[in-house]
Amino acid sequence: MLKMQNPDGSVYERVHSGYGYLGPPEYETDSIPGTGDERQLDTDEDCYITAKHAFAMALASQIYRNFEPAYAQTCKNSAIKAYEWAVNNPSKNPVNSYGGGMYPGHECAIALAALELYDVTGEDQYMENAEKILKDGLKHSGTPAGTESPSTWDKQWSFAEFRYLEWGTNEELKQKIFADLEKLIGANMQIAETNPYGISTYTLNWGVGIDGYLCGMAIDALLIYKETLDPAYRYFAKDQIQWVYGLNPLNLCFITGEGSKYPLNVHHRLDRIIPGAMVLGAFGNPPQYADDKNRWQYNEYAIDIQAQLVFATSLLSGLEFSMEYEPPTVQIISPAEGEVVS
């Protein structure tokens, strides 16, 4: 990531060969300059992608500061430069010329970067900008222009809100954010009460697998559980993850190499299956899934949803479960008791 940053602080999004080659990446280029098979550098400049870089580098500086202080300082400097470029270039959010696979982001990424930089530097300018963005998001909560849960590939509102609960200095704003998170997460929990598997189905008809969204909802529920200790949140989170691991009408674990039945024809360019990769999964009503390498809507895996899986399961692994909370019951209409099913 550091190599993708320009001297002015902006960050290139990726290197990319277009879609003319879909074979194994190790055969894509000989890695020798000037031989004609070089991958193109995506030179679009995007303020929100740069803001995400600022967040990641600020976080890295915190992680490394106690045992690699020089590298931590490098990450901090990179974060500050990226943040300054992002806030000074709000109009630079172009449509990528290569088409699919470009995930530019949203202004909430600047808030997230600002909060992380506040934790690193203690400078009020970062907190003030984060508060401005969060206040505006709260005005439009639950709409495309406002705060939402869960955080996903393009928007990270809930992550920014949880960060503010941890480091924020305005108690009134913290109370509003807490109420907003309870409302947003509670809406997904209410939807889940109508599903026999306990999952929130609001993304089922979006035309793409729901596993990443389920993991995101689990993360938010577990983070709010830490604040409230209300067991309803952790049982909701558990239901979302259990769907991914196979407690679903397809009896399929959506993680390669896990369980007795899992995806075998994932949508990727490798000539082998990497164990532990979560695919996008099922969607539709009723949920449909095709184990087909050419159906990316079901079988693609990616870093963003994999990170959500790791985050959610790591949070779950630190909890102990008991039955002081009784999950909602679902009335079984068919078959009737005593009915013979052939």
Side-chain angles (χ1 to χ4, degrees), residues 241-253:
I241 299 304
Q242 287 188 150
W243 171 281
V244 174
Y245 274 88
L247 190 55
N248 55 62
L250 303 167
N251 294 318
L252 174 73
C253 176

Side-chain angles (χ1 to χ4, degrees), residues 104-325:
H106 188 270
E107 189 181 17
C108 56
I110 294 179
L112 197 55
L115 289 166
E116 204 69 42
L117 278 167
Y118 173 79
D119 187 50
V120 172
T121 67
E123 295 182 18
D124 290 339
Q125 61 165 318
Y126 298 117
M127 180 59 70
E128 290 168 1
N129 196 26
E131 289 180 346
K132 177 180 178 295
I133 295 170
L134 286 167
K135 287 177 181 177
D136 187 60
L138 287 169
K139 292 178 184 177
H140 308 283
S141 175
T143 75
T147 55
E148 61 181 45
S149 171
S151 290
T152 56
W153 55 269
D154 57 344
K155 298 179 183 179
Q156 296 81 41
W157 274 118
S158 60
F159 283 172
E161 290 189 290
F162 279 115
R163 274 290 200 262
Y164 192 84
L165 290 182
E166 188 173 357
W167 298 323
T169 55
N170 184 323
E171 289 301 319
E172 182 181 358
L173 180 57
K174 289 174 76 171
Q175 291 176 10
K176 290 181 179 179
I177 285 174
F178 184 81
D180 186 57
L181 286 167
E182 284 196 311
K183 179 194 74 173
L184 293 171
I185 298 168
N188 283 322
M189 294 174 67
Q190 188 173 9
I191 294 172
E193 291 180 0
T194 64
N195 181 269
Y197 297 92
I199 65 165
S200 177
T201 57
Y202 87 101
T203 64
L204 265 181
N205 294 316
W206 286 11
V208 67
I210 64 173
D211 290 349
Y213 294 100
L214 296 181
C215 289
M217 286 185 273
I219 292 167
D220 284 357
L222 291 168
L223 291 176
I224 201 74
Y225 168 74
K226 287 188 172 184
E227 301 289 333
T228 65
L229 298 182
D230 183 344
Y233 289 117
R234 66 180 189 181
Y235 276 95
F236 170 75
K238 183 180 177 183
D239 286 340
Q240 312 317 296
I241 299 304
Q242 287 188 150
W243 171 281
V244 174
Y245 274 88
L247 190 55
N248 55 62
L250 303 167
N251 294 318
L252 174 73
C253 176
F254 292 110
I255 303 170
T256 57
E258 292 287 331
S260 58
K261 184 181 178 184
Y262 52 83
L264 297 174
N265 302 289
V266 296
H267 179 81
H268 63 180
R269 293 166 49 195
L270 302 177
D271 55 5
R272 59 195 178 280
I273 294 177
I274 299 177
M278 182 180 75
V279 299
L280 288 170
F283 67 89
N285 189 16
Q288 302 292 319
Y289 173 77
D291 191 6
D292 183 343
K293 184 174 183 176
N294 296 316
R295 304 289 293 278
W296 67 268
Q297 298 92 336
Y298 300 111
N299 252 16
E300 184 178 49
Y301 64 81
I303 292 174
D304 59 325
I305 63 171
Q306 191 72 17
Q308 289 177 301
L309 173 67
V310 173
F311 194 179
T313 52
S314 65
L315 288 171
L316 274 173
S317 68
L319 301 178
E320 294 182 1
F321 287 83
S322 61
M323 289 306 295
E324 72 271 18
Y325 167 72

Side-chain angles (χ1 to χ4, degrees), residues 16-29 39 269:
H16 185 63
S17 297
Y19 296 103
Y21 176 80
L22 296 176
E26 58 266 34
Y27 303 137
E28 181 177 8
T29 174
R39 293 185 295 173
R269 293 166 49 195

Side-chain angles (χ1 to χ4, degrees), residues 31-64:
S31 299
I32 300 174
T35 59
D37 61 356
E38 294 83 6
R39 293 185 295 173
Q40 302 171 30
L41 181 63
D42 185 341
T43 57
D44 285 343
E45 293 177 315
D46 189 295
C47 62
Y48 299 141
I49 286 174
T50 300
K52 292 180 183 180
H53 176 96
F55 162 72
M57 289 298 108
L59 181 59
S61 72
Q62 291 281 59
I63 294 170
Y64 285 102

